[in-house]
Amino acid sequence: ACGMTCCNVTLATIAIWTPSFLIRVHELPLRSAGLAAAFAVGVCGALGAGFNGAIADRIGRRNEWKKLLVPVIGVSMSIVLGLSAFLLVEGATLAVAMMGLMAFVGQSFIGVGYGLASSLAPLAMRAATISILLVSFNVLSYGLGTLVVGAVSDASHAVAGSRSIGVGMASALFFSLIGMLSFWRAATLLRARS
């Protein structure tokens, strides 16, 4: 639950702040920024969630714990791509492409997380388990995560200028790091059980 919630905090904050990032840093018009964000976060993320879920099922066919390696690797890659896109890349096209790849690999936790949460919870507790996950996603992602990005962006404005929003968005990747480590811990615990 911790891994899924933390990774979802990053996804939600990136989805919310990407248009502003593209407008402020890369000077895209509002319409172009909205379309680019929808493609990078929405389309690429959805494709990644489906693709990575299928890969996890294939990898974990014999050993359930191996499914957790997909989000460990995917989320790790998304952190590197996000740091590059938010802090280093100069061109809008490359930034959007990197954010699309980030969303593709970053959403590798969704299928695995829901699948394992459902299979590990007792039958009578599955609906409650998923409901608890969704409540934590909404409260922490749209509450805490977006506030952290805004606060870091404001605090770094004197040093980073218009790129301070990128600094704020990069700070959200800390949640992905916690999420990735949580998935790694879950993999080691499941491996020890089997």
Side-chain angles (χ1 to χ4, degrees), residues 93-187:
T93 304
L94 183 56
V96 170
M98 292 184 80
M99 286 188 282
L101 286 172
M102 177 191 153
F104 186 88
V105 296
Q107 292 199 28
S108 58
F109 73 92
I110 290 177
V112 173
Y114 277 120
L116 285 174
S118 295
S119 68
L120 294 174
L123 187 57
M125 295 292 295
R126 288 185 183 162
T129 300
I130 299 303
S131 295
I132 290 167
L133 283 173
L134 290 172
V135 168
S136 69
F137 288 178
N138 286 314
V139 170
L140 294 174
S141 299
Y142 296 102
L144 175 66
T146 55
L147 289 174
V148 167
V149 170
V152 171
S153 177
D154 288 348
S156 63
H157 187 56
V159 175
S162 66
R163 281 192 96 59
S164 65
I165 191 170
V167 174
M169 291 173 73
S171 73
L173 296 170
F174 178 73
F175 292 101
S176 286
L177 178 62
I178 295 170
M180 183 273 297
L181 293 172
S182 297
F183 278 112
W184 177 256
R185 176 73 176 139

Side-chain angles (χ1 to χ4, degrees), residues 21-142:
F21 171 76
L22 293 172
I23 291 167
R24 292 183 202 171
V25 175
H26 297 291
E27 299 177 349
L28 290 182
L30 180 60
R31 179 180 166 91
S32 298
L35 289 171
F39 173 75
V41 179
V43 174
C44 293
L47 291 172
F51 177 80
N52 287 302
I55 293 296
D57 281 343
R58 186 168 179 85
I59 289 172
R61 200 175 308 165
R62 291 196 178 112
N63 296 303
E64 193 81 4
W65 69 269
K66 287 185 178 180
K67 290 180 181 181
L68 289 162
L69 297 178
V70 172
V72 168
I73 293 166
V75 172
S76 297
M77 291 171 62
S78 78
I79 293 169
V80 173
L81 288 163
L83 288 171
S84 300
F86 303 140
L87 301 175
L88 303 175
V89 172
E90 292 298 326
T93 304
L94 183 56
V96 170
M98 292 184 80
M99 286 188 282
L101 286 172
M102 177 191 153
F104 186 88
V105 296
Q107 292 199 28
S108 58
F109 73 92
I110 290 177
V112 173
Y114 277 120
L116 285 174
S118 295
S119 68
L120 294 174
L123 187 57
M125 295 292 295
R126 288 185 183 162
T129 300
I130 299 303
S131 295
I132 290 167
L133 283 173
L134 290 172
V135 168
S136 69
F137 288 178
N138 286 314
V139 170
L140 294 174
S141 299
Y142 296 102

